[in-house]
Amino acid sequence: MLARMPATAASELELKFQLGAGALEALQGAAFPLDQGKTSQLHAVYFDTPSHALRDGAFSLRVRRKGETYVQTLKHRAVGGLFERDEWETQVPGSDLDLAALAGTPVEAAIGDAALAPAFTVEVERRVHLWIHGETRIEVSFDTGLIVAGDRQEPIAEMELELLSGPPQALFDLARDLLARAPLTLSFESKAERGYRLVGHDGVAALKAQNTAVGPLTCAADAFQAISRDALVQIAGNERLLQRAHNPDVLHQLRVGLRRFRAALSVFRPMLDAEGLNAARAETRWLAGELSEARDIDVFLQRAATRDEIEESPGRAAFFRALRIAQAEAYERALAAVRSDRFRNLLLMLGEWVEVGGWRRLANDDQRALREGPITALAAPIMDRLDKRLRRRSHKFMDSDVEARHDLRKQAKKLRYAAAFFGEAFPQHPKRRARFIAALRGLQDQLGELNDMAVARSVAMRAVGRRSGELAFAAGLEVGRLTSGEDEVVGAANDAFKAYRKVRTFWSSPDGRNEDLNLSRPRLQSV
């Protein structure tokens, strides 16, 4: 009988990549020859309650067989965790769970009195290499195999880099070198998460934003990392789903993740390094542009009248055929972007910058004080400025043209993201906070409606192109239907602005510090 090893918690720092076509051969043929790796066959059974309580609590629990050895592993990704996980390992005598080893771990509360049973299995061949450079040691693992849930299967082709010793920067340096040799896509989805999707727990539902744990005692550096990490998880997770199916909600949530990341760049700008900030802004702006047309057409089609609601005509049918063709082309453009080398480099660049970027080493006293100080010292003056600016400019809303309305919408959205990011850091007035966020939500709904009307005109024009006659006439009629209530929406938006101006803010500036934060738009370097 195997000797029992106590369950211990440890934190692992690793990067995981999905292997693109030819990547395995390229890397194992040069950097990591087959005959220099240690190969093993791994069989893992993942357990959960019937309602998947562990999955909902961000846990995974497995018993893995490697040769004649069985190891029970509990992993947990805390809110905001990106490349680190808490892990408890216990050597067990066989394939059955050792429930006693879970005593004292956070998973006890998630399980409660529920029974645990197998949910799915993972069968992989693992080839492990040890990369050594000076004092740095990195374990490089290649996993190929299958995830099996009943009669469903999904192939695995992954590479993991785990830092055993040395600085975290070395992990990213090696990753960048390997990315230059083979098509690798940074992934934040574990085998367990993929298994649950196969089981049907998550299906192909879009990955939405999580509530990021930013409290009053969180320092600004930790807050920036937590918020940015969550946005990157949302971007990468929906990118993977988008390649499975042309799902409008997946595309939308991918763009939401991008907007949240860009909002974080804006509100944390005073403590960020200019080089990293400019690169992050330029690359995320490129990706947003590649996705925007598909989203615009999706919204047009979702708002358009159905055949049951309006009499079909040859011209209308021709217009919607043209629109469907444009939608397919727009999705191909979006897919080409997320399958590109530029996107793969973007994900790694952003992940590296958030974790170990130059902003963490800025020696300027003011920036260091912001970075190391409580998030409230940075958040309060920033939200003050955003709030006052929006209130002041909102008085001229009724005289605004389409471009000015769009600018107001972006300002309202930035303030709403900031309120969502930092709301828990100001717990003194929860009801006031709820009213403030509700007012912003109502305002955004009306401004979003106006924006959809403006975008509908450009979508129709692009779909029609140089065509004229019956098709163009039908496009004009459809746009007319979609924008017929514009005056009423303008009035509703003005009322929403009035309601917003009546609500009180929920934050307070700590002793007036950092009131001189410069929120002007930085000059972007040419790219």
Side-chain angles (χ1 to χ4, degrees):
M1 182 174 180
L2 294 173
R4 178 182 171 86
M5 297 172 58
T8 57
S11 182
E12 57 180 9
L13 180 61
E14 65 179 29
L15 299 178
K16 178 179 291 187
F17 295 86
Q18 297 298 323
L19 299 172
L24 189 65
E25 294 76 12
L27 295 177
Q28 292 188 335
F32 305 103
L34 292 175
D35 58 355
Q36 295 181 15
K38 183 178 179 181
T39 303
S40 58
Q41 305 297 322
L42 305 177
H43 171 86
V45 180
Y46 284 77
F47 294 84
D48 208 331
T49 68
S51 63
H52 294 165
L54 272 64
R55 171 69 179 99
D56 291 336
F59 292 98
S60 67
L61 176 62
R62 72 175 185 231
V63 174
R64 173 186 282 170
R65 185 189 73 234
K66 182 179 179 181
E68 299 301 318
T69 302
Y70 291 84
V71 176
Q72 177 175 301
T73 303
L74 171 68
K75 293 188 179 186
H76 182 236
R77 174 180 283 167
V79 175
L82 188 59
F83 302 116
E84 295 183 78
R85 298 170 187 264
D86 289 330
E87 182 174 305
W88 294 261
E89 282 196 347
T90 306
Q91 189 168 327
V92 293
S95 59
D96 294 331
L97 280 176
D98 182 352
L99 297 178
L102 302 177
T105 67
V107 80
E108 280 189 298
I111 297 173
D113 297 328
L116 293 170
F120 55 90
T121 62
V122 175
E123 301 271 2
V124 298
E125 178 181 87
R126 171 165 292 178
R127 183 171 286 108
V128 179
H129 300 258
L130 186 62
W131 186 88
I132 301 175
H133 182 72
E135 298 298 317
T136 300
R137 298 168 67 249
I138 297 173
E139 185 178 87
V140 183
S141 302
F142 295 92
D143 285 355
T144 55
L146 289 172
I147 302 173
V148 181
D151 58 354
R152 300 179 183 179
Q153 295 184 348
E154 182 170 301
I156 296 172
E158 299 175 345
M159 180 186 73
E160 291 186 9
L161 307 179
E162 182 176 351
L163 184 66
L164 302 180
S165 64
Q169 180 64 58
L171 200 65
F172 290 98
D173 290 342
L174 176 60
R176 221 180 312 108
D177 178 62
L178 299 179
L179 184 58
R181 306 185 189 197
L184 309 172
T185 303
L186 188 62
S187 173
F188 308 113
E189 190 174 42
S190 67
K191 293 181 182 69
E193 289 166 328
R194 293 177 63 184
Y196 280 112
R197 285 195 179 277
L198 198 62
V199 168
H201 179 277
D202 300 313
V204 292
L207 187 63
K208 297 184 178 181
Q210 301 296 308
N211 291 326
T212 306
V214 175
L217 300 181
T218 307
C219 75
D222 289 347
F224 173 66
Q225 287 186 315
I227 292 166
S228 300
R229 288 165 177 167
D230 187 61
L232 286 177
V233 169
Q234 189 178 8
I235 292 167
N238 285 301
E239 166 267 320
R240 184 172 174 81
L241 292 174
L242 186 64
Q243 297 201 48
R244 294 185 182 183
H246 294 185
N247 185 320
D249 194 38
V250 167
L251 177 67
H252 173 57
Q253 289 300 326
L254 199 166
R255 294 179 75 239
V256 169
L258 272 174
R259 287 201 301 266
R260 292 176 62 241
F261 189 87
R262 289 176 61 81
L265 297 181
S266 180
V267 297
F268 284 97
R269 188 193 64 80
M271 59 173 246
L272 301 177
D273 64 296
E275 181 180 359
L277 175 65
N278 289 335
R281 278 184 160 169
E283 290 305 286
T284 52
R285 185 172 58 247
W286 159 76
L287 182 58
E290 296 301 295
L291 305 177
S292 62
E293 186 173 4
R295 175 59 184 168
D296 290 344
I297 298 174
D298 284 343
V299 172
F300 189 105
L301 290 171
Q302 289 166 1
R303 289 166 48 86
T306 66
R307 293 182 179 180
D308 294 335
E309 297 171 322
I310 191 170
E311 183 180 351
E312 190 73 2
S313 68
R316 189 174 190 271
F319 169 61
F320 275 90
R321 281 196 298 271
L323 204 55
R324 292 291 183 186
I325 292 171
Q327 183 188 38
E329 292 173 347
Y331 266 89
E332 285 305 312
R333 178 182 174 185
L335 287 168
V338 299
R339 289 169 177 164
S340 69
D341 289 341
R342 186 170 182 176
F343 177 78
R344 288 189 282 267
N345 280 287
L346 176 153
L347 273 185
L348 183 59
M349 179 268 287
L350 294 181
E352 178 179 2
W353 181 62
V354 168
E355 296 301 312
V356 296
W359 65 273
R360 294 173 58 88
R361 299 182 294 276
L362 292 175
N364 178 282
D365 289 343
D366 291 338
Q367 289 173 313
R368 186 172 64 251
L370 280 177
R371 186 172 69 242
E372 298 174 357
I375 185 57
T376 51
L378 180 143
I382 283 180
M383 289 197 291
D384 271 343
R385 297 284 184 89
L386 294 173
D387 177 60
K388 290 175 181 176
R389 182 185 300 168
L390 182 60
R391 290 175 188 267
R392 182 176 65 252
R393 296 184 179 181
S394 69
H395 287 285
K396 299 181 180 180
F397 171 73
M398 293 300 289
D399 299 323
S400 301
D401 57 16
V402 172
E403 186 175 346
R405 291 175 189 170
H406 182 59
D407 187 55
L408 278 169
R409 175 174 172 265
K410 290 192 296 184
Q411 291 178 40
K413 187 174 292 185
K414 186 184 296 185
L415 178 58
R416 184 180 172 190
Y417 279 133
F421 291 159
F422 307 133
E424 297 297 328
F426 299 93
Q428 298 88 346
H429 305 288
K431 291 183 179 179
R432 195 186 297 177
R433 181 178 69 219
R435 287 192 293 269
F436 185 87
I437 292 176
L440 279 177
R441 186 182 299 115
L443 176 59
Q444 263 193 275
D445 288 345
Q446 299 303 327
L447 294 177
E449 185 80 5
L450 287 174
N451 183 70
D452 290 344
M453 291 179 176
V455 170
R457 296 184 177 94
S458 60
V459 167
M461 289 178 62
R462 290 196 298 269
V464 171
R466 296 177 179 273
R467 305 183 188 99
S468 58
E470 195 173 17
L471 187 147
F473 180 73
L477 287 178
E478 195 63 36
V479 170
R481 293 189 190 96
L482 294 179
T483 60
S484 61
E486 186 169 11
D487 289 343
E488 289 80 2
V489 179
V490 168
N494 192 48
D495 290 341
F497 268 121
K498 292 176 181 178
Y500 156 69
R501 290 195 295 265
K502 291 178 181 179
V503 298
R504 299 174 64 187
T505 60
F506 60 87
W507 61 87
S508 57
S509 298
D511 301 324
R513 292 185 303 166
N514 296 321
E515 290 291 349
D516 59 344
L517 290 178
N518 180 11
L519 298 182
S520 58
R521 181 173 298 176
R523 179 175 62 86
L524 294 180
Q525 298 174 351
S526 59
V527 292

